[in-house]
Amino acid sequence: MENKELRLKKRYRLGICPWWWPVGICGWLIVAAFLARDWKIDGEMLAACSFLFLLALNVCGVAIAGIRAVMDRENRLLWIRQVSYFSLTIFVFLGLLNMIYGGCRIRRNPRAMLISCQSNMKHIHNALVCYAIDYDGFLPPENGAAGLNYLIEGKYLDDRSIYVCPGRSRPAGKFQELTEENCDYIYYGGGEQSYDRKGILLMDKPGNHPERKYNILYYNGGIESRGGW
């Protein structure tokens, strides 16, 4: 009986069923790698899904250990101990999940996204001014994404993530050339760059922010937010 109990303790040291615990985790890591590479799933969402998967494993462990505690009377204490281990792990995972989702809610706050979008516009404006200095005061001649591509090609601003509004939920910076599909800003190109010139230089595309909120960048570098709220 003593040898049997020792074998059980070695067998169930890391969980109720030693083979499905590491297999399940390794399997999820492989799936997560494919999701991140091929589907370009958001990193925060992927982390949350990982914790949910591990949480599900522990819930199954509690259920199985509870059933075995009722059925296996000789080793009931061992199975009850397993229930407590898995339950403690569940509480840890729930705390981590709350931290992840809480961080996501803060980062996805509409007002914070609007301010972050304004930061992107300031970077683009600085790059346009640098371009104009090198080209006798003239801005890239084409409108839209075609005009902003001059900044990437000339290495004035080649960080692709800047051209994607933070209010969008899709990944940023996964492209080589700006197009109207992957660029979230409307650029009104051509003419001279002057801080005394009136008019809109850059603005959000419709749908970048909720409640029809959007940012406008003027030639003098000023930014204004318009729309709902």
Side-chain angles (χ1 to χ4, degrees), residues 151-189:
L151 302 181
I152 295 179
E153 295 169 359
K155 304 297 183 182
Y156 294 97
L157 183 61
D158 56 0
D159 183 357
R160 274 72 169 173
S161 64
I162 299 297
Y163 302 97
V164 177
C165 177
R168 296 284 189 177
S169 58
R170 58 185 173 83
K174 304 296 183 181
F175 48 84
Q176 292 298 322
E177 183 179 359
L178 284 178
T179 65
E180 294 304 328
E181 287 72 28
N182 58 35
C183 180
D184 290 333
Y185 299 106
I186 302 173
Y187 166 65
Y188 300 95

Short mmCIF file of all heavy atoms in Angstrom, two decimals, residues 151-189:
data_model
loop_
_atom_site.label_atom_id
_atom_site.label_comp_id
_atom_site.label_asym_id
_atom_site.label_seq_id
_atom_site.Cartn_x
_atom_site.Cartn_y
_atom_site.Cartn_z
N LEU A 151 7.19 59.85 -47.85
CA LEU A 151 7.88 59.92 -46.56
C LEU A 151 8.58 58.60 -46.24
O LEU A 151 9.66 58.59 -45.64
CB LEU A 151 6.87 60.26 -45.46
CG LEU A 151 6.09 61.56 -45.63
CD1 LEU A 151 5.15 61.76 -44.45
CD2 LEU A 151 7.04 62.75 -45.77
N ILE A 152 7.93 57.49 -46.63
CA ILE A 152 8.54 56.18 -46.39
C ILE A 152 9.74 55.97 -47.31
O ILE A 152 10.82 55.55 -46.87
CB ILE A 152 7.51 55.06 -46.58
CG1 ILE A 152 6.41 55.16 -45.52
CG2 ILE A 152 8.17 53.68 -46.53
CD1 ILE A 152 5.32 54.13 -45.63
N GLU A 153 9.56 56.28 -48.59
CA GLU A 153 10.64 56.08 -49.56
C GLU A 153 11.84 56.96 -49.26
O GLU A 153 12.99 56.56 -49.48
CB GLU A 153 10.11 56.34 -50.97
CG GLU A 153 9.04 55.36 -51.41
CD GLU A 153 8.35 55.79 -52.69
OE1 GLU A 153 8.70 56.88 -53.22
OE2 GLU A 153 7.46 55.06 -53.16
N GLY A 154 11.60 58.17 -48.77
CA GLY A 154 12.70 59.08 -48.46
C GLY A 154 13.24 58.93 -47.06
O GLY A 154 14.10 59.72 -46.65
N LYS A 155 12.75 57.94 -46.30
CA LYS A 155 13.20 57.67 -44.93
C LYS A 155 12.93 58.84 -43.97
O LYS A 155 13.62 59.00 -42.96
CB LYS A 155 14.71 57.34 -44.90
CG LYS A 155 15.12 56.20 -45.80
CD LYS A 155 14.48 54.89 -45.39
CE LYS A 155 14.95 53.73 -46.26
NZ LYS A 155 14.31 52.45 -45.91
N TYR A 156 11.92 59.62 -44.30
CA TYR A 156 11.53 60.69 -43.38
C TYR A 156 10.70 60.13 -42.22
O TYR A 156 10.80 60.62 -41.10
CB TYR A 156 10.73 61.76 -44.12
CG TYR A 156 11.52 62.51 -45.16
CD1 TYR A 156 11.46 62.16 -46.51
CD2 TYR A 156 12.36 63.57 -44.79
CE1 TYR A 156 12.21 62.83 -47.46
CE2 TYR A 156 13.10 64.26 -45.74
CZ TYR A 156 13.02 63.88 -47.08
OH TYR A 156 13.77 64.55 -48.01
N LEU A 157 9.88 59.13 -42.53
CA LEU A 157 9.08 58.47 -41.51
C LEU A 157 8.70 57.09 -42.05
O LEU A 157 7.67 56.92 -42.70
CB LEU A 157 7.81 59.29 -41.18
CG LEU A 157 6.93 58.72 -40.06
CD1 LEU A 157 7.70 58.66 -38.74
CD2 LEU A 157 5.68 59.57 -39.88
N ASP A 158 9.56 56.11 -41.79
CA ASP A 158 9.34 54.77 -42.34
C ASP A 158 8.77 53.78 -41.32
O ASP A 158 8.73 52.57 -41.57
CB ASP A 158 10.62 54.21 -42.95
CG ASP A 158 11.76 54.18 -41.95
OD1 ASP A 158 11.55 54.58 -40.79
OD2 ASP A 158 12.86 53.75 -42.34
N ASP A 159 8.34 54.29 -40.17
CA ASP A 159 7.65 53.45 -39.19
C ASP A 159 6.19 53.29 -39.62
O ASP A 159 5.39 54.20 -39.47
CB ASP A 159 7.73 54.08 -37.80
CG ASP A 159 7.10 53.21 -36.72
OD1 ASP A 159 6.54 52.14 -37.06
OD2 ASP A 159 7.14 53.60 -35.54
N ARG A 160 5.86 52.13 -40.16
CA ARG A 160 4.52 51.93 -40.74
C ARG A 160 3.40 52.04 -39.71
O ARG A 160 2.27 52.40 -40.05
CB ARG A 160 4.43 50.56 -41.41
CG ARG A 160 4.92 50.50 -42.86
CD ARG A 160 6.40 50.61 -42.97
NE ARG A 160 6.86 50.30 -44.33
CZ ARG A 160 8.11 50.46 -44.73
NH1 ARG A 160 9.02 50.93 -43.89
NH2 ARG A 160 8.46 50.15 -45.97
N SER A 161 3.70 51.75 -38.45
CA SER A 161 2.65 51.79 -37.44
C SER A 161 2.10 53.19 -37.23
O SER A 161 0.97 53.36 -36.76
CB SER A 161 3.19 51.24 -36.11
OG SER A 161 4.23 52.07 -35.61
N ILE A 162 2.88 54.22 -37.57
CA ILE A 162 2.43 55.60 -37.40
C ILE A 162 1.26 55.92 -38.34
O ILE A 162 0.42 56.76 -38.04
CB ILE A 162 3.59 56.58 -37.65
CG1 ILE A 162 4.72 56.32 -36.65
CG2 ILE A 162 3.13 58.03 -37.54
CD1 ILE A 162 4.33 56.56 -35.21
N TYR A 163 1.19 55.23 -39.46
CA TYR A 163 0.14 55.51 -40.45
C TYR A 163 -1.15 54.73 -40.18
O TYR A 163 -2.09 54.81 -40.96
CB TYR A 163 0.65 55.18 -41.86
CG TYR A 163 1.89 55.93 -42.23
CD1 TYR A 163 3.15 55.37 -42.09
CD2 TYR A 163 1.83 57.25 -42.71
CE1 TYR A 163 4.31 56.06 -42.42
CE2 TYR A 163 2.97 57.95 -43.04
CZ TYR A 163 4.21 57.35 -42.90
OH TYR A 163 5.34 58.06 -43.22
N VAL A 164 -1.17 53.98 -39.08
CA VAL A 164 -2.37 53.25 -38.67
C VAL A 164 -2.91 53.89 -37.40
O VAL A 164 -2.19 54.02 -36.41
CB VAL A 164 -2.05 51.76 -38.42
CG1 VAL A 164 -3.29 51.02 -37.91
CG2 VAL A 164 -1.55 51.11 -39.70
N CYS A 165 -4.16 54.30 -37.42
CA CYS A 165 -4.76 54.97 -36.27
C CYS A 165 -4.87 54.00 -35.09
O CYS A 165 -5.32 52.86 -35.27
CB CYS A 165 -6.14 55.49 -36.66
SG CYS A 165 -7.02 56.27 -35.29
N PRO A 166 -4.48 54.43 -33.88
CA PRO A 166 -4.60 53.56 -32.71
C PRO A 166 -6.04 53.15 -32.40
O PRO A 166 -6.27 52.18 -31.68
CB PRO A 166 -4.02 54.42 -31.58
CG PRO A 166 -3.14 55.40 -32.26
CD PRO A 166 -3.80 55.69 -33.58
N GLY A 167 -7.01 53.92 -32.93
CA GLY A 167 -8.40 53.56 -32.71
C GLY A 167 -8.84 52.32 -33.46
O GLY A 167 -9.87 51.73 -33.16
N ARG A 168 -8.07 51.92 -34.47
CA ARG A 168 -8.37 50.71 -35.22
C ARG A 168 -7.93 49.48 -34.42
O ARG A 168 -6.93 49.51 -33.72
CB ARG A 168 -7.64 50.71 -36.57
CG ARG A 168 -8.08 51.82 -37.50
CD ARG A 168 -9.43 51.50 -38.13
NE ARG A 168 -9.75 52.46 -39.18
CZ ARG A 168 -10.84 52.39 -39.93
NH1 ARG A 168 -11.69 51.41 -39.75
NH2 ARG A 168 -11.08 53.29 -40.86
N SER A 169 -8.69 48.38 -34.55
CA SER A 169 -8.36 47.17 -33.81
C SER A 169 -7.43 46.24 -34.58
O SER A 169 -6.96 45.25 -34.06
CB SER A 169 -9.65 46.40 -33.49
OG SER A 169 -10.36 46.08 -34.67
N ARG A 170 -7.14 46.55 -35.84
CA ARG A 170 -6.29 45.67 -36.63
C ARG A 170 -4.82 45.93 -36.34
O ARG A 170 -4.45 47.00 -35.86
CB ARG A 170 -6.57 45.86 -38.13
CG ARG A 170 -6.35 47.28 -38.65
CD ARG A 170 -6.78 47.39 -40.11
NE ARG A 170 -6.75 48.76 -40.61
CZ ARG A 170 -5.66 49.36 -41.05
NH1 ARG A 170 -4.52 48.71 -41.03
NH2 ARG A 170 -5.72 50.59 -41.51
N PRO A 171 -3.93 44.95 -36.61
CA PRO A 171 -2.50 45.13 -36.38
C PRO A 171 -1.92 46.22 -37.26
O PRO A 171 -2.43 46.51 -38.34
CB PRO A 171 -1.90 43.77 -36.74
CG PRO A 171 -3.04 42.82 -36.71
CD PRO A 171 -4.26 43.61 -37.08
N ALA A 172 -0.85 46.83 -36.79
CA ALA A 172 -0.22 47.92 -37.54
C ALA A 172 1.17 47.53 -38.01
O ALA A 172 1.84 46.69 -37.42
CB ALA A 172 -0.11 49.16 -36.65
N GLY A 173 1.60 48.16 -39.10
CA GLY A 173 2.97 48.03 -39.54
C GLY A 173 3.32 46.73 -40.23
O GLY A 173 4.48 46.33 -40.25
N LYS A 174 2.35 46.01 -40.81
CA LYS A 174 2.62 44.73 -41.47
C LYS A 174 2.62 44.86 -42.99
O LYS A 174 2.29 43.92 -43.69
CB LYS A 174 1.56 43.70 -41.04
CG LYS A 174 1.45 43.49 -39.53
CD LYS A 174 2.73 42.92 -38.95
CE LYS A 174 2.58 42.65 -37.46
NZ LYS A 174 3.80 42.12 -36.84
N PHE A 175 3.00 46.00 -43.50
CA PHE A 175 2.96 46.22 -44.95
C PHE A 175 4.20 46.98 -45.38
O PHE A 175 4.88 47.59 -44.58
CB PHE A 175 1.70 47.00 -45.33
CG PHE A 175 1.47 48.23 -44.48
CD1 PHE A 175 2.09 49.43 -44.78
CD2 PHE A 175 0.63 48.18 -43.38
CE1 PHE A 175 1.89 50.55 -44.00
CE2 PHE A 175 0.43 49.30 -42.59
CZ PHE A 175 1.06 50.49 -42.90
N GLN A 176 4.50 46.90 -46.67
CA GLN A 176 5.67 47.58 -47.23
C GLN A 176 5.31 48.95 -47.81
O GLN A 176 6.02 49.92 -47.63
CB GLN A 176 6.31 46.70 -48.31
CG GLN A 176 6.96 45.44 -47.76
CD GLN A 176 8.09 45.72 -46.80
OE1 GLN A 176 8.87 46.65 -46.99
NE2 GLN A 176 8.18 44.91 -45.76
N GLU A 177 4.20 49.01 -48.52
CA GLU A 177 3.78 50.23 -49.19
C GLU A 177 2.43 50.67 -48.69
O GLU A 177 1.53 49.85 -48.45
CB GLU A 177 3.72 50.01 -50.70
CG GLU A 177 3.36 51.26 -51.50
CD GLU A 177 3.33 51.00 -52.99
OE1 GLU A 177 3.61 49.85 -53.39
OE2 GLU A 177 3.03 51.93 -53.75
N LEU A 178 2.27 51.97 -48.50
CA LEU A 178 0.98 52.50 -48.07
C LEU A 178 -0.03 52.45 -49.21
O LEU A 178 0.28 52.78 -50.36
CB LEU A 178 1.13 53.95 -47.61
CG LEU A 178 1.77 54.21 -46.25
CD1 LEU A 178 1.88 55.70 -46.00
CD2 LEU A 178 0.99 53.55 -45.14
N THR A 179 -1.24 52.01 -48.88
CA THR A 179 -2.36 52.03 -49.82
C THR A 179 -3.54 52.65 -49.10
O THR A 179 -3.51 52.88 -47.88
CB THR A 179 -2.72 50.61 -50.29
OG1 THR A 179 -3.20 49.84 -49.16
CG2 THR A 179 -1.52 49.90 -50.89
N GLU A 180 -4.60 52.89 -49.84
CA GLU A 180 -5.78 53.48 -49.21
C GLU A 180 -6.43 52.49 -48.24
O GLU A 180 -7.21 52.91 -47.37
CB GLU A 180 -6.79 53.89 -50.29
CG GLU A 180 -6.29 55.03 -51.19
CD GLU A 180 -5.89 56.27 -50.40
OE1 GLU A 180 -6.50 56.54 -49.35
OE2 GLU A 180 -4.96 56.97 -50.82
N GLU A 181 -6.12 51.21 -48.36
CA GLU A 181 -6.69 50.21 -47.47
C GLU A 181 -5.95 50.14 -46.13
O GLU A 181 -6.57 49.94 -45.09
CB GLU A 181 -6.68 48.82 -48.13
CG GLU A 181 -7.69 48.62 -49.24
CD GLU A 181 -7.34 49.38 -50.51
OE1 GLU A 181 -6.12 49.61 -50.72
OE2 GLU A 181 -8.25 49.74 -51.26
N ASN A 182 -4.63 50.28 -46.15
CA ASN A 182 -3.89 50.13 -44.90
C ASN A 182 -3.47 51.45 -44.27
O ASN A 182 -2.89 51.46 -43.19
CB ASN A 182 -2.66 49.24 -45.11
CG ASN A 182 -1.71 49.77 -46.17
OD1 ASN A 182 -1.54 50.97 -46.33
ND2 ASN A 182 -1.07 48.86 -46.91
N CYS A 183 -3.75 52.57 -44.92
CA CYS A 183 -3.45 53.89 -44.36
C CYS A 183 -4.73 54.49 -43.79
O CYS A 183 -5.75 54.57 -44.47
CB CYS A 183 -2.86 54.81 -45.43
SG CYS A 183 -2.46 56.47 -44.81
N ASP A 184 -4.69 54.91 -42.53
CA ASP A 184 -5.89 55.40 -41.85
C ASP A 184 -6.02 56.92 -41.86
O ASP A 184 -6.89 57.46 -41.17
CB ASP A 184 -5.90 54.91 -40.39
CG ASP A 184 -6.13 53.41 -40.31
OD1 ASP A 184 -6.77 52.86 -41.22
OD2 ASP A 184 -5.67 52.79 -39.33
N TYR A 185 -5.18 57.61 -42.62
CA TYR A 185 -5.24 59.06 -42.65
C TYR A 185 -5.41 59.58 -44.08
O TYR A 185 -4.89 58.99 -45.03
CB TYR A 185 -3.99 59.67 -42.02
CG TYR A 185 -3.81 59.28 -40.57
CD1 TYR A 185 -2.83 58.34 -40.19
CD2 TYR A 185 -4.62 59.81 -39.58
CE1 TYR A 185 -2.68 57.96 -38.87
CE2 TYR A 185 -4.47 59.43 -38.26
CZ TYR A 185 -3.51 58.51 -37.91
OH TYR A 185 -3.37 58.14 -36.60
N ILE A 186 -6.13 60.67 -44.19
CA ILE A 186 -6.34 61.32 -45.49
C ILE A 186 -5.37 62.49 -45.59
O ILE A 186 -5.43 63.42 -44.78
CB ILE A 186 -7.79 61.81 -45.62
CG1 ILE A 186 -8.77 60.65 -45.46
CG2 ILE A 186 -8.01 62.49 -46.98
CD1 ILE A 186 -10.23 61.09 -45.41
N TYR A 187 -4.50 62.44 -46.58
CA TYR A 187 -3.49 63.48 -46.78
C TYR A 187 -3.88 64.33 -47.99
O TYR A 187 -4.20 63.81 -49.05
CB TYR A 187 -2.12 62.85 -47.00
CG TYR A 187 -1.08 63.79 -47.55
CD1 TYR A 187 -0.64 64.88 -46.80
CD2 TYR A 187 -0.53 63.58 -48.81
CE1 TYR A 187 0.32 65.75 -47.30
CE2 TYR A 187 0.43 64.44 -49.32
CZ TYR A 187 0.84 65.52 -48.56
OH TYR A 187 1.79 66.39 -49.06
N TYR A 188 -3.87 65.65 -47.78
CA TYR A 188 -4.17 66.59 -48.85
C TYR A 188 -2.85 67.20 -49.32
O TYR A 188 -2.34 68.15 -48.73
CB TYR A 188 -5.13 67.68 -48.37
CG TYR A 188 -6.47 67.10 -47.90
CD1 TYR A 188 -6.70 66.84 -46.55
CD2 TYR A 188 -7.48 66.83 -48.80
CE1 TYR A 188 -7.90 66.31 -46.12
CE2 TYR A 188 -8.70 66.29 -48.38
CZ TYR A 188 -8.89 66.03 -47.04
OH TYR A 188 -10.08 65.50 -46.62
N GLY A 189 -2.28 66.61 -50.36
CA GLY A 189 -0.92 66.96 -50.75
C GLY A 189 -0.83 68.10 -51.74
O GLY A 189 -1.83 68.65 -52.21
#
